[in-house]
Amino acid sequence: MNNGFGLSAATRAALLARLNRRREDAPTPESPRGFRELPGQREMALIRDAAASLDLENPFFRIHEAVASAHSVVAGRDVINFGSYNYLGLNGDPRVQAAAKAAIDQHGVSASASRMVSGERPVHAALEAALAAHYQAEAALVFVSGHATNVTVIGHMMGPRDLIVHDAAIHNSCTEGARLSGAKRLSFAHNDWRAAETALAEGRRSARRALLVIEGHYSMDGDIPDLPRFIEIARRHDAWLMVDEAHALGVVGARGHGVHEYFGIDPNEVDIWMGTLSKTLSACGGYIAGNHELIHWLKHSAPGFVYSVGLAPTLAAAAAASLAILQAEPERVARLQGNTKLFLRLVHEAGFDAGTATAHAIVPVILGSSIAAARYSQKLFERGINVQPIVYPAVPEKAARLRFFLSSEHSEQDIRTAIAALVAIREQAKG
């Protein structure tokens, strides 16, 4: 699709020449103790200079002055917000806030040390029991960070004689954990279960143990895996299957219970369920659900748990309250999925590329150019719509996009306003 915001070859050449002159004219740092030679610093500076040359504002780190739900307040004005993981509108729900405040009154703000050192709090046990029950698992364990959950669990569980096979679109936390483990790591083309089986077959014979890692709902593309196929593959090749449900809990399945509900599969068919508390559950942290043996081992040996402060009691209480509301009010999930279905249909009708997105919560609008994505984001913000661009190197240049996060709290008018704005900006660019 011609989005009207690409650069011609001549314009690109002129821009690069101008930026190169800036780099050559820039003063050389006098102190060897400076930080200009850190990995990626030169590239970041080049991107920053290029954006300034094209009059593009930095769309990141905007200050939100209210709860970031379907709407937010930025720089004193109301904006329609498509940049939040608050999928079911539970961040800001009075019941969730009341639970968090009660935990503060009883336990204070912090756990004050690791749980092994400072002792347990009832809110930790209650949340872990609720998460285990949600997945029909024997036990669960919560960590202070979602990213650190994958890093420490994968990095600790696997070793140099092992094999990790993962989707090419897997989250950075999983690849960092794999790198830390020292295991042999093979990636397969996104959502291609045949390629996953080929990779497992290739590396399994020489590996002591094998781990297959996928996501329940992919945050860049808004699609889901064929879970039954991946279960079959893991069993056939004697591998553990780990599913990252960060964006799937509260989103996928008729009641938002996750990708296992969508396929009607016993969750015990998956060896390790991972998720975060910062999306649907409106808190912060991560969790692992599985059998007693795994959870007991992690609780007593995983570095990111044993040597980290425990999850703040207020966050544990907020997450437990959010999970209870999710389970009691499936109509929130229905509204979310209805909004996403409408948004996706209108995106297609308007002639934009949404890739392989399914109607759950995340819809990319692929524009094929980082400059186009940044310009669309800026012009949408000028029209009172907040959505972030995803640009190279986070995605390949030809896959640069806007990434829309839908909420159960968006109105039909919010959605139609956003699509109309996309169309108007495209037509303006053509003119």
Side-chain angles (χ1 to χ4, degrees):
M1 181 189 70
N2 180 11
N3 55 57
F5 282 130
L7 294 181
S8 67
T11 304
R12 282 199 302 272
L15 175 62
L16 287 172
R18 188 160 69 249
L19 293 174
N20 284 332
R21 284 196 297 273
R22 285 192 187 185
R23 298 262 71 79
E24 292 168 1
D25 295 340
T28 302
E30 297 179 2
S31 170
R33 297 179 62 194
F35 295 98
R36 295 195 177 192
E37 299 305 315
L38 290 174
Q41 283 282 51
R42 289 178 180 270
E43 291 80 359
M44 290 171 64
L46 183 64
I47 292 170
R48 185 172 60 247
D49 289 348
S53 297
L54 295 167
D55 296 321
L56 291 173
E57 299 174 359
N58 184 351
F60 308 112
F61 300 105
R62 286 179 178 143
I63 297 175
H64 290 249
E65 299 158 4
V67 173
S69 189
H71 283 240
S72 188
V73 177
V74 180
R77 67 177 180 136
D78 180 86
V79 296
I80 304 172
N81 185 32
F82 293 100
S84 168
Y85 303 146
N86 194 7
Y87 294 129
L88 300 185
L90 297 177
N91 183 27
D93 185 285
R95 294 164 292 181
V96 175
Q97 290 177 320
K101 290 172 183 175
I104 290 176
D105 290 341
Q106 184 172 357
H107 301 292
V109 174
S110 173
S112 299
S114 74
R115 286 165 58 184
M116 183 174 283
V117 172
S118 69
E120 297 283 29
R121 308 295 187 277
V123 288
H124 292 136
L127 174 59
E128 289 168 346
L131 287 166
H134 183 85
Y135 289 102
Q136 300 173 36
E138 292 177 355
L141 186 65
V142 296
F143 297 75
V144 76
S145 156
H147 189 280
T149 300
N150 276 330
V151 173
T152 199
V153 170
I154 296 173
H156 185 52
M157 187 169 64
M158 307 303 286
R161 294 170 54 199
D162 300 330
L163 170 70
I164 298 172
V165 175
H166 64 81
D167 192 292
I170 205 74
H171 192 263
N172 167 269
S173 56
C174 296
T175 58
E176 287 298 297
R179 185 172 62 84
L180 176 65
S181 75
K184 181 179 181 179
R185 180 165 67 91
L186 299 174
S187 67
F188 58 88
H190 177 49
N191 257 344
D192 187 338
W193 57 267
R194 293 180 180 86
E197 177 148 39
T198 299
L200 260 178
E202 173 188 326
R204 187 66 186 94
R205 290 195 188 100
S206 59
R208 175 183 55 174
R209 299 173 301 185
L211 177 68
L212 176 58
V213 189
I214 59 175
E215 292 185 25
H217 187 33
Y218 286 91
S219 62
M220 282 295 178
D221 296 291
D223 50 10
I224 63 175
D226 186 341
L227 182 60
R229 291 286 191 181
F230 284 101
I231 290 172
E232 290 175 10
I233 292 165
R235 295 294 166 266
R236 189 153 50 243
H237 295 280
D238 189 25
W240 290 318
L241 177 61
M242 179 175 183
V243 180
D244 180 335
E245 287 263 287
H247 292 274
L249 179 65
V251 169
V252 179
R255 298 170 298 161
H257 283 211
V259 70
H260 69 275
E261 181 187 40
Y262 180 87
F263 286 102
I265 287 174
D266 180 347
N268 286 294
E269 292 293 322
V270 172
D271 301 291
I272 305 168
W273 289 103
M274 179 272 170
T276 56
L277 308 176
S278 55
K279 279 80 174 176
T280 290
L281 300 188
S282 63
C284 187
Y287 63 85
I288 295 290
N291 69 25
H292 279 303
E293 194 173 53
L294 170 67
I295 300 305
H296 181 80
W297 179 73
L298 290 173
K299 191 171 186 176
H300 290 82
S301 66
F305 182 84
V306 173
Y307 301 105
S308 171
V309 67
L311 183 70
T314 184
L315 294 174
S322 296
L323 182 58
I325 295 171
L326 160 64
Q327 294 169 342
E329 299 179 5
E331 62 270 19
R332 290 176 177 267
V333 179
R335 287 203 308 272
L336 168 64
Q337 293 176 357
N339 283 343
T340 311
K341 184 177 181 179
L342 172 64
F343 188 92
L344 185 58
R345 176 171 66 80
L346 294 177
V347 164
H348 286 147
E349 289 177 358
F352 288 96
D353 181 5
T356 56
T358 53
H360 290 98
I362 303 165
V363 179
V365 173
I366 300 171
L367 298 168
S369 154
S370 292
I371 292 170
R375 282 183 168 161
Y376 266 82
S377 175
Q378 182 167 310
K379 290 183 177 294
L380 284 166
F381 187 68
E382 291 168 1
R383 292 168 179 259
I385 300 165
N386 182 56
V387 60
Q388 297 300 308
I390 306 296
V391 300
Y392 178 84
V395 292
E397 175 65 14
K398 66 180 180 180
R401 64 195 61 193
L402 300 173
R403 183 170 56 164
F404 288 83
F405 295 105
L406 278 295
S407 164
S408 61
E409 307 309 294
H410 281 114
S411 69
E412 180 176 341
Q413 188 57 54
D414 291 336
I415 292 167
R416 292 188 180 277
T417 297
I419 300 299
L422 282 169
V423 172
I425 293 167
R426 181 181 62 193
E427 294 307 307
Q428 184 183 35
K430 288 179 180 177

